[in-house]
């Protein structure tokens, strides 16, 4: 009887399929999504008002051994539902996040045996669309191996693109601005020798978040949300047709993903608007992630920190303690070089500085054994994450930090040996708990172990989640360097507070650096998925290293503005204490600026050109503004109507000096104060490669 009913239902499904010729759709505001079967093949299209965002584009997933969802399918049915809810992030750019969308779920089935079923779920927001493939529990589908994802983004024209190469192991490239038809990453990959591991076999592949601008005035960002148990998606660009096709980062044996139904892919995301600031304000990616999974979150604290770090980046001291693992004395002990940065006395100096300036934490790199031969040889056992060098007295340092009210931040460089790290995770976090370290910066410089895996493949994507989960068990917050670029998972794991996964300020220490436009592109690309540990705040902008060749390509005032325009709940004051002590007036802004906010407004933005952001401090009526430009000087008019009406504020304006210029006079700045209200207007003058920062504090009566 049961079997008979099932057959009947199947037949009904067939009928629905035969009748389903009309396309299905969902919409929200100006955004409209259309789904259709074309010759049995699933397709979608997205429009923004009268303008096409993506033309009819293919959907599908191919399996190894065939019988995947790459051929014709029949429609079993569909549902539409509306959702409108508001949630509060544990930390972030705003206090409340509205999640308002129309969802279309499409149930599909293979027409012939084994008749496997797959759903495509679309969520349509006022600022874009997310969609993913879901594989329901079914007898016809157990284990399966994804060989390719067929998702396309058929763009209607040859847009301007802000792109980096689609590399399996790194996102630390400089951005190139070009038409889609001109995408070719060969030169970028070849010349970026400062990046330790590069593998970008497809010259026409770009990474996401990919920022696009159309000639008819649309800003479009393509990325993904909730990348879990699946490789990162890159995009192959067909220059002639402007069709982008998903390319998944392969694993060590050339497969893309090993899955078992029920399962689902990450969301593919399109953020769209005719205004550039809307792209930056979008919460679409966070909304598509699962809510917080952690039982408690009161231990997760946004932090500003200094670190025994930049001094190694600029060659003033070393991570390593001895010259090599073989420089041993008669007792078999490493012979110190005398250049080791992470020594107790030096660490105390940073703790004193943090305490004196009300900064929350101190990061110390190079504290543990292993740095004499740490990367480049694809070695599995380099670090054990619990053995300090002889001159780093962990107990004394943690007691001292505690006595000064400063938190210590741990450093776990894995040199890519994820297996070794996983074996030590539990003891490493117990060690942190014992000495009172609430946060860890991890790192994956070098080729990955398991050998053959890539930083951005399925195995590592699971590793990063395992690290976040294990850290959470021990009440540890994480900042992952050289991890896969974020996809909003900080909503689900709010202790995964930041990642690097992009070209940070440190490139100004050891490479040709990043040009002034870099920080005007980053918010539209790397930051779309979540916070970045960019390490802003370099005050000594030139001649900071022995060869005198390197320089930061911004003014000093722009370094201050970065604390507002580049959001991270873990934010470093990256320069040396003495360089801050040389400019106590400018350093005041770094001391004051919060790392957690009630509200954020993007006042002006254009990718690659300029950006002005203002944010309201958490639980305080104080506002902080950052404004930056690329290599062009600009004036930026400001209306202060974000301030509470009827209230007087003291605005402290940290601006480029009259003669400031990132090349000729980067350290020239001027600080002025004035009383303003919500009715006031200001005009900022930004130098070439410059910026401005403002704090607004209520005037006490
Ligand atoms: C690369 C990281 O990005 C950097 O911040 C760190 O200092 C080095 N790896 C050493 O772990
Ligand atoms: Ca790095």
């Amino acid at each position: 009887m049961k079997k008979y009913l099932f057959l009947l239902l199947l037949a009904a499904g067939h009928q629905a399929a035969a009748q389903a010729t009309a396309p299905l759709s969902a919409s929200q505001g100006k955004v409209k999504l259309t789904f259709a079967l074309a010759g049995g093949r699933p397709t979608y299209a997205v429009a923004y008002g009268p303008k096409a965002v993506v033309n009819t584009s293919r959907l599908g997933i191919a399996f190894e051994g065939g019988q995947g969802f790459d051929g014709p399918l029949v429609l079993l049915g569909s549902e539409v539902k509306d959702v409108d809810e508001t949630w509060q992030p544990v930390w972030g750019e705003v206090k409340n996040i509205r999640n308002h969308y129309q969802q279309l779920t499409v149930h599909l089935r293979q027409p012939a045996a084994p008749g496997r079923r797959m759903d495509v779920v679309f969520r349509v927001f006022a600022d874009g669309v997310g969609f993913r493939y879901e594989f329901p529990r079914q007898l016809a589908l157990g284990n399966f191996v994804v060989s390719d994802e067929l998702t396309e983004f058929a763009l209607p024209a040859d847009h301007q693109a802000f792109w980096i190469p689609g590399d399996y192991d790194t996102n630390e490239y400089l951005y190139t601005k070009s038409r889609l038809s001109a995408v070719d990453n060969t030169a970028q990959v070849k010349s970026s020798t400062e990046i330790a591991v590069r593998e970008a076999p497809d010259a026409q592949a770009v990474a996401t978040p990919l920022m696009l601008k159309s000639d008819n005035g649309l800003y479009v960002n393509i990325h993904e949300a909730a990348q879990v148990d699946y490789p990162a998606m890159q995009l192959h660009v067909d220059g002639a047709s402007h069709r982008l096709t998903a390319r998944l980062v392969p694993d060590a044996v050339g497969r893309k993903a090993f899955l078992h139904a029920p399962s689902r892919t990450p969301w593919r995301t399109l953020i769209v608007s005719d205004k550039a600031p809307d792209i930056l304000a979008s919460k679409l990616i966070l909304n598509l992630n699962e809510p917080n999974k952690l039982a408690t979150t009161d231990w997760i604290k946004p932090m500003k920190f200094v670190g025994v770090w930049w001094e190694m980046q600029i060659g003033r001291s070393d991570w390593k303690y001895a010259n090599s693992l073989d420089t041993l004395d008669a007792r078999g002990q490493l012979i110190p070089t005398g250049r080791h940065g992470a020594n107790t006395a030096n660490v105390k100096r940073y703790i004193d500085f943090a305490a004196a300036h009300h900064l929350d934490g101190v990061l110390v790199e190079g504290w543990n054994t292993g740095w004499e031969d740490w990367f480049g040889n694809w070695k599995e056992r380099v670090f054990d994450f619990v053995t300090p060098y002889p001159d780093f007295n962990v107990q004394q340092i943690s007691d001292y930090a505690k006595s000064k009210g400063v938190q210590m931040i741990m450093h776990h460089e894995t040199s890519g040996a994820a297996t070794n790290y996983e074996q030590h995770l539990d003891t490493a976090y117990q060690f942190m708990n014992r000495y009172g370290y609430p946060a860890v910066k991890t790192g994956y410089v070098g080729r990955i172990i398991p050998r053959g895996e890539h930083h951005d493949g399925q195995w590592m994507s699971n590793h990063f989640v395992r690290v976040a989960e294990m850290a959470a068990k021990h009440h540890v917050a994480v900042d992952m360097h050289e991890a896969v670029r974020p996809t909003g998972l900080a909503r689900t794991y709010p202790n995964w507070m930041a990642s690097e996964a992009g070209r940070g300020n440190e490139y100004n220490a050891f490479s040709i650096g990043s040009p002034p436009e870099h920080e005007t592109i980053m918010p539209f690309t790397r930051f779309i998925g979540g916070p970045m540990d960019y390490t802003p705040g370099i005050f000594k902008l030139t001649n900071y290293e022995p060869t005198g060749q390197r320089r930061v390509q911004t003014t000093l005032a722009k370094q201050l503005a970065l604390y507002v325009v580049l959001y991270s709940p873990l934010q470093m004051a990256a320069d040396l204490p003495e360089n801050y002590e040389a400019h106590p007036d400018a350093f005041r802004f770094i001391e004051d600026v919060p790392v957690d906010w009630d509200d954020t407004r993007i006042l002006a933005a254009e990718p690659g050109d300029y950006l002005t952001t203002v944010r309201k401090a958490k639980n305080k009526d104080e506002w902080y503004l950052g404004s930056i430009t690329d290599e062009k000087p600009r004036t930026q008019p400001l209306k202060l109507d974000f301030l509470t009406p009827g209230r007087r504020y003291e605005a402290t304006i940290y601006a480029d000096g009259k003669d400031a210029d990132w090349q000729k006079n980067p350290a020239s700045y001027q600080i002025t104060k004035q009383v303003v209200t919500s009715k006031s207007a200001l005009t900022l003058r930004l130098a070439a490669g410059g910026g401005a920062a403002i704090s607004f504090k209520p005037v006490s009566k």
Side-chain angles (χ1 to χ4, degrees), residues 26-28 79-85 99-104 124:
S27 55
Q28 189 79 253
E79 298 106 40
V80 173
K81 71 167 180 182
D82 291 288
V83 172
D84 189 359
E85 62 192 16
N99 184 22
H100 186 200
Y101 62 88
Q102 186 164 74
Q103 174 168 302
L104 166 67
V124 185

Side-chain angles (χ1 to χ4, degrees), residues 451-481:
R451 295 192 182 90
E453 291 296 339
H454 295 289
H455 286 74
D456 292 359
Q458 183 191 23
W459 197 94
M460 284 303 285
S461 121
N462 285 329
H463 168 79
F464 297 129
V465 172
R466 278 196 291 277
V467 168
E469 283 176 339
M470 185 61 123
K473 261 194 202 160
H474 292 271
H475 287 193
V476 163
V478 213
D479 164 17
M480 301 191 195
H481 278 232

Side-chain angles (χ1 to χ4, degrees), residues 172 482 500 506:
E172 299 183 8
E482 294 85 39
E500 183 194 37
E506 66 188 42

